[in-house]
Amino acid sequence: MRAKITYFVTAAVLVFYFVLVGSRGVLLIKHGTLLTVTFGVAVLILPVIGVWFLWKNTQFVKKANALAAELEAEGALPVDELKRTPSGRIDRDSADEVFARRRAETEDTPGDWRCWFRLAVAYHDARDTPRARKAMQRAIALHEGRAINV
């Protein structure tokens, strides 16, 4: 729940920023000189890129949550079997051990989105966010029946 609140607060701040920057870009364009119109167009590009990025990330999160809900309904969500330090952090060796099992499981059945989902969780637990995201994208693509770029 805390992650959702953080996400929505961050998204709201970004949208406010996009509106603010966009309005400044429009004001620059309305001024009408070659220089201000050029700067106004350049300033408007930033909110467009930001909105696209926010949209893509929101879609990714929605799809990943839908996969998690489907796995939960099947009773197949990965079990948290990780050892933790006294401060609550995940033990690195424990994460590596679980990751090795998830990777072997995924190598055995590379066409199963469930394996890729569990591998993404293992990557995340091992603090390898870029690979976790790629594995989740693969799980989403497999679930949707789309072609996968290797």
Side-chain angles (χ1 to χ4, degrees), residues 78-124:
V79 178
D80 185 2
E81 54 191 303
L82 299 169
K83 296 175 186 154
R84 301 189 185 275
T85 63
S87 64
R89 296 191 80 163
I90 295 171
D91 180 60
R92 183 72 176 182
D93 293 333
S94 175
D96 289 343
E97 178 185 321
V98 171
F99 171 76
R101 283 191 310 221
R102 298 292 184 221
R103 184 179 59 194
E105 173 186 85
T106 305
E107 288 171 352
D108 290 343
T109 54
D112 185 4
W113 67 266
R114 293 164 185 84
C115 293
W116 283 100
F117 182 95
R118 289 188 285 269
L119 181 64
V121 172
Y123 270 127
H124 177 70

Side-chain angles (χ1 to χ4, degrees), residues 22-68:
S23 68
R24 297 299 183 233
V26 170
L27 288 175
L28 283 169
I29 291 171
K30 282 184 178 180
H31 195 270
T33 67
L34 178 63
L35 185 63
T36 59
V37 169
T38 304
F39 279 140
V41 170
V43 166
L44 283 177
I45 289 172
L46 293 174
V48 169
I49 292 170
V51 166
W52 173 81
F53 182 76
L54 185 60
W55 174 256
K56 294 300 278 184
N57 278 306
T58 302
Q59 293 305 306
F60 174 78
V61 168
K62 284 175 60 177
K63 290 176 182 180
N65 284 341
L67 293 186

Side-chain angles (χ1 to χ4, degrees), residues 10-24 43 46-47 50:
T10 304
V13 169
L14 282 172
V15 168
F16 175 75
Y17 170 76
F18 298 151
V19 169
L20 184 66
V21 170
S23 68
R24 297 299 183 233
V43 166
L46 293 174

